[in-house]
């Protein structure tokens, strides 16, 4: 009976997250459409210029705390409320440090790296948004650990609806003051949406929820436990963000050096990252939902030495990911032109999709495998796999670009990196689950 209850809870959590992911994906697309229509191609281009910096700073601000809190709460070994209240002051201090950094260096970042001094104000706005994102993610992770997925889903949907309404009302006002004012407003709109999310999460707290003195006072051991999990788990994301930052720099410099035109490089790189990758990543919101539901389940069962049950859940998660990933891959390979025309109104990138689609089957199971390793206290192992995968991808990128095969060098390098990381995670997940 107990196993049946756990199984039904996992399936229910997964279904809730998949439905929620689907709704937020649609809302996210509507937000992009609204932004495109209201700020135009130039505005989107400027917003995309600060996006990698925004994503990197979010990763640093969160520092892997959500994964760590979710895992520790799922294990249920101590005071779960204190886990949250122990890390909140630490999170606020980290966010203050980032804000101070941006106050001093946003001018340097915008002028020297992004090559546009006017992006200084939007970058400063990023700093103001980060604390709200951090607090919201910490509260969400508490519910994740408790395997209560509905608060997360409802807060996400509400957040996106508020952001959509805010952008519809605000952009037409701020665009009159200039494109950079509109970009700053888009960044700041996250504050209102994150506050809404935090309020929704508080509403979902149980009616008998209460706080005692020992719940609120930070506990050094809890902080230490969180950092032991969070640092390795966030390492993979930071490494990925850094690699993403350097990728266009490597591609541009090598291809220009060997005789390709800048126009060719920008066009082909835009096709791969603007059309091909987003299309192939579409099924990822399913596999991400499965991974999020899997983490607290594996944490709890592995912690209690229920290895057979842990194996069963991981196999189930991979099976669900493949049920979604394999049909999606077949569709991508047979109907790439139809999908590109329907979604992006282009036919560029068909051959790239046909080559990359089978490789992405491995990518779809990578997320649940990463979650499994993190849940089993093997986040360092996952990070090492990611690091070696990035080194392989970067080395392959340099070698194959120099073979004068254009942007196919990037396609081959991406494929090799994905294959290595996934096989690494499969090998070590099996190794740590041997009886």
């Amino acid at each position: 009976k107990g196993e049946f209850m756990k199984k039904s809870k996992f399936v229910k959590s997964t279904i809730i997250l998949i439905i929620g992911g689907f709704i937020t994906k649609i809302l996210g697309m509507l937000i992009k459409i609204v932004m495109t229509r209201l700020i135009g191609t130039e505005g989107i281009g400027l917003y995309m210029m600060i996006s990698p910096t925004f994503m990197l700073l979010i990763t640093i601000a969160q520092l892997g705390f959500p994964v760590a809190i979710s895992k520790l709460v799922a294990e249920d070994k101590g005071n779960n409320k204190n886990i949250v209240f122990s890390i909140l002051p630490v999170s606020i201090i980290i966010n203050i440090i980032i804000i101070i950094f941006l106050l001093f260096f946003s001018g340097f970042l915008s002028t020297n790296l992004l090559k546009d001094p006017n992006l200084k104000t939007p970058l400063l706005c990023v700093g103001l948004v980060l604390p709200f994102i951090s607090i919201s993610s910490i509260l969400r992770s508490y519910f994740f650990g408790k395997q209560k997925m509905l608060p997360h889903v409802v807060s996400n949907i509400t957040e996106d609806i508020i952001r959509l309404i805010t952008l519809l009302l605000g952009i037409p006002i701020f665009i009159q003051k200039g494109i950079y004012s509109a970009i700053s407003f888009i960044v700041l709109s996250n504050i209102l949406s994150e506050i809404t999310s935090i309020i929704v999460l508080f509403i979902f707290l149980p009616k008998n929820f209460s706080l005692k003195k020992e719940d609120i006072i930070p506990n050094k051991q809890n902080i230490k436990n969180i950092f032991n999990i969070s640092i390795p788990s966030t390492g993979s994301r930071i490494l990925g963000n850094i690699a993403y930052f350097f990728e266009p720099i490597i591609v541009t410099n090598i291809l220009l050096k060997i005789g390709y035109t800048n126009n060719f490089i920008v066009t082909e790189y835009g096709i791969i990252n603007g059309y091909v990758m987003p299309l192939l990543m579409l099924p990822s919101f399913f596999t991400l939902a499965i991974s999020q539901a899997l983490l607290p389940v594996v944490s709890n069962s592995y912690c209690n030495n229920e290895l057979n049950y842990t194996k069963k859940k991981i196999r189930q998660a991979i099976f669900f990911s493949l049920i979604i990933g394999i049909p999606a891959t077949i569709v991508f390979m047979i109907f790439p032109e139809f999908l590109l025309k329907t979604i992006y109104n282009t036919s560029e990138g068909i051959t790239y999709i046909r080559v990359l689609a089978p490789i992405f089957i491995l990518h779809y199971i990578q997320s649940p495998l990463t979650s499994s390793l993190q849940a089993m206290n093997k986040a360092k192992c996952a990070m090492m796999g990611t690091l070696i995968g990035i080194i392989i991808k970067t080395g392959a990128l340099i070698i194959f670009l120099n073979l004068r095969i254009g942007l196919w060098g990037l396609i081959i390098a991406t494929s090799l990196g994905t294959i290595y990381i996934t096989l690494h995670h499969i090998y070590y997940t099996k190794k740590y689950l041997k009886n």
Side-chain angles (χ1 to χ4, degrees):
K1 189 182 176 182
E3 187 168 325
F4 173 76
M5 289 293 288
K6 284 198 278 186
K7 182 181 177 182
S8 62
K9 200 170 187 180
F10 172 62
V11 173
K12 185 183 173 184
S13 298
T14 306
I15 291 167
I16 289 169
L17 286 168
I18 287 171
I19 294 167
F22 181 69
I23 295 168
T24 51
K25 197 79 175 175
I26 291 168
L27 287 168
M29 285 175 73
L30 286 173
I31 287 168
K32 282 182 182 175
I33 290 165
V34 166
M35 283 170 58
T36 307
R37 297 280 171 90
L38 295 177
I39 62 173
T41 308
E42 184 197 355
I44 289 291
L46 290 168
Y47 183 74
M48 292 312 293
M49 287 284 283
I50 63 166
S51 280
T53 308
F54 198 174
M55 295 306 295
L56 182 60
L57 290 175
I58 288 172
T59 303
I60 295 167
Q62 290 183 342
L63 210 64
F65 294 155
V67 170
I69 293 164
S70 179
K71 184 183 182 311
L72 291 170
V73 170
E75 289 174 2
D76 203 21
K77 285 181 178 177
N79 186 335
N80 291 330
K81 294 172 190 173
N82 186 259
I83 289 169
V84 173
F85 279 97
S86 292
I87 208 64
L88 272 174
V90 179
S91 178
I92 290 164
I93 290 167
I94 291 167
N95 277 278
I96 289 169
I97 291 167
I98 294 171
I99 290 168
I100 293 168
F101 168 80
L102 284 172
L103 282 170
F104 284 100
F105 293 101
S106 57
F108 173 81
L109 288 170
S110 57
T111 306
N112 295 76
L113 297 182
L114 301 178
K115 307 296 182 186
D116 189 340
N118 292 313
L119 288 172
K120 180 182 177 180
T121 306
L123 283 172
L124 286 169
C125 292
V126 166
L128 297 175
V129 170
L130 292 175
F132 297 94
I133 294 174
S134 298
I135 292 166
S136 172
S137 65
I138 286 170
L139 292 174
R140 275 199 190 98
S141 61
Y142 174 81
F143 286 103
F144 262 122
K146 292 284 187 183
Q147 284 184 259
K148 293 179 180 176
M149 305 304 173
L150 194 60
H152 163 78
V153 167
V154 174
S155 67
N156 257 357
I157 293 168
T158 313
E159 180 185 320
D160 281 348
I161 290 169
I162 293 297
R163 187 149 189 256
L164 183 61
I165 294 166
T166 306
L167 294 176
L168 277 167
L169 296 174
I171 293 176
I173 297 166
F174 282 86
I175 198 79
Q176 293 173 12
K177 298 178 182 179
I179 194 74
Y180 293 96
S181 295
I183 302 298
S184 298
F185 171 76
I186 290 168
V187 174
L188 290 173
S189 69
N190 286 285
I191 293 176
L192 186 58
S193 60
E194 292 294 340
I195 288 171
T196 308
S197 177
I198 291 164
I199 292 166
V200 170
L201 291 168
F202 273 115
I203 291 167
F204 272 97
L205 287 172
K207 288 180 182 178
N208 60 351
F209 184 85
S210 61
L211 290 171
K212 297 171 186 173
K213 191 178 178 181
E214 60 264 28
D215 296 333
I216 300 169
I217 297 169
N219 180 296
K220 284 183 182 178
Q221 188 57 47
N222 277 335
I223 294 169
K224 187 182 174 184
N225 291 340
I226 289 169
F227 271 102
N228 284 340
I229 301 165
S230 71
I231 297 297
S233 66
T234 201
S236 297
R237 289 184 66 190
I238 289 173
L239 288 170
N241 280 325
I242 291 169
Y244 176 58
F245 175 78
F246 280 110
E247 183 184 279
I249 297 169
I250 294 169
V251 168
T252 306
N253 279 282
I254 290 176
L255 292 184
L256 282 174
K257 189 179 175 183
I258 61 175
Y260 285 92
T261 65
N262 192 58
N263 185 52
F264 170 84
I265 297 164
V266 171
T267 304
E268 291 298 304
Y269 191 76
I271 289 165
I272 292 169
N273 282 285
Y275 305 140
V276 176
M277 291 298 183
L279 187 63
L280 293 172
M281 292 292 283
L282 274 176
S284 294
F285 78 87
F286 282 105
T287 56
L288 181 62
I290 292 162
S291 306
Q292 289 171 329
L294 184 68
L295 193 138
V297 173
V298 172
S299 292
N300 188 278
S301 59
Y302 190 79
C303 171
N304 293 313
N305 205 32
E306 298 172 358
L307 296 188
N308 286 329
Y309 183 77
T310 306
K311 287 179 193 174
K312 188 179 174 184
K313 290 296 112 182
I314 294 171
R315 284 196 200 105
Q316 223 172 52
I318 291 169
F319 177 69
F320 287 151
S321 299
L322 290 175
I323 280 178
I324 294 146
I326 291 171
T329 300
I330 292 166
V331 171
F332 292 146
M333 290 180 75
I334 298 173
F335 306 109
E337 189 169 8
F338 170 77
L339 292 167
L340 286 165
K341 276 281 183 188
T342 306
I343 299 171
Y344 302 112
N345 194 29
T346 184
S347 56
E348 301 283 359
I350 291 169
T351 318
Y352 291 144
I353 288 172
R354 286 206 168 112
V355 171
L356 270 181
I359 306 294
F360 263 66
I361 293 175
L362 289 174
H363 180 82
Y364 301 141
I365 65 168
Q366 201 178 102
S367 191
L369 287 166
T370 304
S371 279
S372 299
L373 287 169
Q374 289 172 345
M376 294 188 291
N377 293 323
K378 309 299 178 188
K380 286 179 184 175
C381 174
M383 186 182 77
M384 283 308 297
T386 304
L387 175 61
I388 296 167
I390 287 168
I391 292 167
I392 289 169
K393 180 185 173 180
T394 306
L397 188 63
I398 293 166
I399 292 165
F400 286 102
L401 285 174
N402 277 296
L403 294 178
R404 299 179 184 273
I405 53 173
L407 267 293
W408 281 104
L410 176 59
I411 300 294
I412 295 166
T414 301
S415 302
L416 291 173
T418 302
I419 291 166
Y420 176 81
I421 293 169
T422 309
L423 293 179
H424 171 278
H425 287 9
I426 290 170
Y427 173 79
Y428 282 99
T429 302
K430 287 174 78 173
K431 180 182 175 181
Y432 293 127
L433 284 171
K434 280 183 180 176
N435 286 312

